Amino acid sequence: MAKYLLFDTETTGGSQEDRIIQIGLMLVHSKNDIEVYDEMCSSEVDIKLEAMEVHNITPNMLVGKPQCTDTTTYQKIQEYNTSENYLIAHNIKFDMGMIEKEGFLNQYKTIDTLRCARHLFNDLPYHRLQYLRYALELYKTEEQEAKNLSITIKAHDAIGDVLVMKLFLTKLVARCMEEYSGINPMDKLAELTSTPVKVKTFRFGKYKGQDIQTVASTDAGYLSWMLNNMKDLDEDMKYTLGLYVEG
């Protein structure tokens, strides 16, 4: 029977040199059999102040903590690393990149709840996990869920975010079953994870909130400039801009 591993990391920052300093995991064997892991880990890389501002983890909190690869959490992720199981995260490219720096070689089927949200909840303007938490009223049931699993809820905390992601995953599965009847919803979510999304509106920049197709007809040069000069665009925005620039 497939296992579902939902995980999240907090890190020293978001650059190439940065490393994991907290890792949270829910290992789901079945609906009523869930293991919860939440560990901090030491790193030779200093925590950036901008990262501290988000997750509130300070250097003194990491004194005496094990290296990431020595945590039970990381070892559990390694233990179940087979193609029959699912590894799940919100913006999984980032978290996967972080554990790969620790020597992890992925064999799981992967589900990115961020990309799946863009596919299945494309009526929402934003798909950040905390935005979804309130937009879909996940906060109304999270306290009981946290109590059941002995979790303390904190925003931008690894295990707290995993809890919200678990609640959101149930919404994704339900929406998937509505739109793709007769198809295993987890397999479909894995398929959607590898399928680029055509973004409808700009989420930043001088045209923030405006329809991309409309801007493409009035200022195509701007789209071309973005594609050629903005190196930190996510895959979905690159894919969308490419459709209009090449088309």
Side-chain angles (χ1 to χ4, degrees), residues 116-117 119-124 127 136 168 171-172 175:
C116 290
H119 278 293
L120 297 172
F121 290 88
N122 59 4
D123 54 320
L124 295 177
H127 300 94
L136 300 178
F168 177 55
K171 298 285 188 181
L172 284 174
R175 179 66 65 93

Side-chain angles (χ1 to χ4, degrees), residues 2 15 94 104 109 111 130 146 163 170 173-174 178 192 206 220-221 242:
S15 301
F94 176 82
F104 178 77
K109 298 174 188 175
I111 293 176
Q130 290 301 313
L163 175 66
T170 63
V173 168
E178 289 175 6
L192 292 175
K206 70 176 183 178

Side-chain angles (χ1 to χ4, degrees), residues 42 76 102 108 125 167 196 206 211 236:
S42 61
K76 285 291 181 180
E102 306 296 337
Y108 288 96
L167 294 172
K206 70 176 183 178
D211 183 78
D236 291 332

